[in-house]
Amino acid sequence: MPEFEYELTIILAGRAAERAILASVSAGAGGSEESDLALATRLQLQFDREFGLGANGNAWLGPVDMKRITSAERDRARVKLDQFERRAQQLLAPHRDLLEHLADHLLAVREMDTEDLRPWLENLAPSRPEQSGDRALTTDQR
């Protein structure tokens, strides 16, 4: 899986975790231009329009103007982001118990930084998504 696909999977992992634990998502992953969902959407559109890595091949079509994207671009971004969220769900699924304990802890402490999170994640073994041909994201590939 190319690095940009890892990046989109990581960005959408919080949303995937909400869906796994709460069976729905909140507006926390979306809502503002700085949200994870907005970042992932812009990034996917950049791959297609600016980086020559998507639907437009080697074409550079200029920066993304969210107010002027076509319905085809909107549909493709939605489909691709759904794909990356599903990939994140597959990576999280084997670790559901840990994810639930971490969510409970986060509710209690309200905020965690990298050092707070490290002990929770240090013993994770790499997991493999169910889709054949996908390489799993391991903790050392972040």
Side-chain angles (χ1 to χ4, degrees), residues 8-128:
L8 283 167
T9 302
I10 291 166
I11 292 169
L12 293 171
R15 187 174 176 90
E18 275 190 348
R19 194 176 305 277
I21 299 302
L22 305 174
S24 66
V25 293
S26 69
S32 74
E33 290 183 17
E34 293 82 32
S35 70
D36 289 345
L37 193 55
L39 174 62
T41 302
R42 279 193 309 273
L43 197 52
Q44 178 59 50
L45 289 167
Q46 283 180 308
F47 294 137
D48 285 342
R49 296 181 54 92
E50 297 178 53
F51 302 157
L53 298 172
N56 299 306
N58 289 331
W60 183 87
L61 302 178
V64 176
D65 179 350
M66 297 302 280
K67 294 176 183 167
R68 296 194 170 158
I69 63 170
T70 67
S71 61
E73 287 175 312
R74 191 175 4 265
D75 290 345
R76 177 172 163 73
R78 182 186 46 78
V79 167
K80 295 299 286 183
L81 296 183
D82 287 350
Q83 173 188 344
F84 294 120
E85 184 180 330
R86 280 192 306 275
R87 185 170 287 138
Q89 288 171 331
Q90 290 174 344
L91 291 166
L92 292 170
H95 309 288
R96 184 179 174 95
D97 288 343
L98 175 63
L99 192 57
E100 287 178 358
H101 286 84
L102 182 57
D104 289 341
H105 180 72
L106 187 55
L107 283 172
V109 299
R110 306 291 296 161
E111 187 174 302
M112 295 174 74
D113 62 21
T114 303
E115 290 307 311
D116 298 328
L117 194 55
R118 192 176 313 281
W120 288 85
L121 304 178
E122 66 188 4
N123 294 319
L124 284 181
S127 61
R128 184 157 193 77

